Structures are given as C-alpha cells and as structure tokens.
Amino acid sequence: MWRKAEISNENQEFEKLECEKAEISNENHEFEKLECEKAEVSNENLEFQQLECEKAKISNESRDLTKLMYENQGSDWLLH
C-alpha cells in the first residue's frame, strides 16, 4: 500500500513536470512570435528609412531643378 502511494506521488510529480514543460513550450512559442513581430517592425523601420532617404533625394533634385530654372531665367533676362 505504501509503495502504491509512492508511485501515485511520482505520477503527480511527473504530471506537474509535464504541465511545466507545456507552459515553457508555450512561452517559447510566444517568444518566437514576438521575435517574428520584432523582425517585421525592424523591416518596416528599414523601409521607412529608405523612403525617407528617397524623399531627401527628391527634395535635393527639386532644389537643384529650381536652382537651374533660376539660373536659366537669369540667362534669358541677360539675353533680352
């Protein structure tokens, strides 16, 4: 009878450990999900930075174009 109680306790401990193992597995899964979301956010930040860079290039090109237009207007004015 005493041995049966001992085995029952071992089974309970085993079930408890299995439950903890499942919880850890779920936590790992949640961690992996968060890592994936972190990577997605990182990619979005990179895309945003690339867009900001393109925006700056366009702004510079626009500034250069405006400068050329003013220079050409000055040349036209000198010709008239």
Side-chain angles (χ1 to χ4, degrees):
M1 191 69 163
W2 184 72
R3 179 71 181 132
K4 186 177 176 184
E6 212 174 62
I7 291 171
S8 177
N9 283 343
E10 288 173 359
N11 283 343
Q12 285 177 349
E13 287 176 22
F14 178 78
E15 287 172 4
K16 196 172 149 186
L17 290 173
E18 283 295 309
C19 187
E20 288 176 14
K21 179 179 162 186
E23 287 174 2
I24 290 170
S25 178
N26 284 342
E27 289 171 1
N28 284 343
H29 182 66
E30 288 173 21
F31 178 78
E32 288 170 0
K33 261 174 68 175
L34 289 173
E35 284 294 307
C36 187
E37 288 174 16
K38 179 179 159 186
E40 288 173 3
V41 168
S42 179
N43 284 342
E44 289 170 2
N45 285 341
L46 183 61
E47 289 173 15
F48 178 78
Q49 289 173 355
Q50 287 172 340
L51 288 174
E52 285 293 308
C53 186
E54 288 177 27
K55 181 178 155 187
K57 286 179 187 174
I58 291 169
S59 179
N60 285 341
E61 290 169 0
S62 175
R63 202 172 309 125
D64 291 345
L65 182 60
T66 302
K67 184 179 173 187
L68 285 173
M69 286 173 58
Y70 281 124
E71 287 173 0
N72 284 339
Q73 278 182 343
S75 300
D76 290 344
W77 181 76
L78 291 174
L79 292 175
H80 293 333

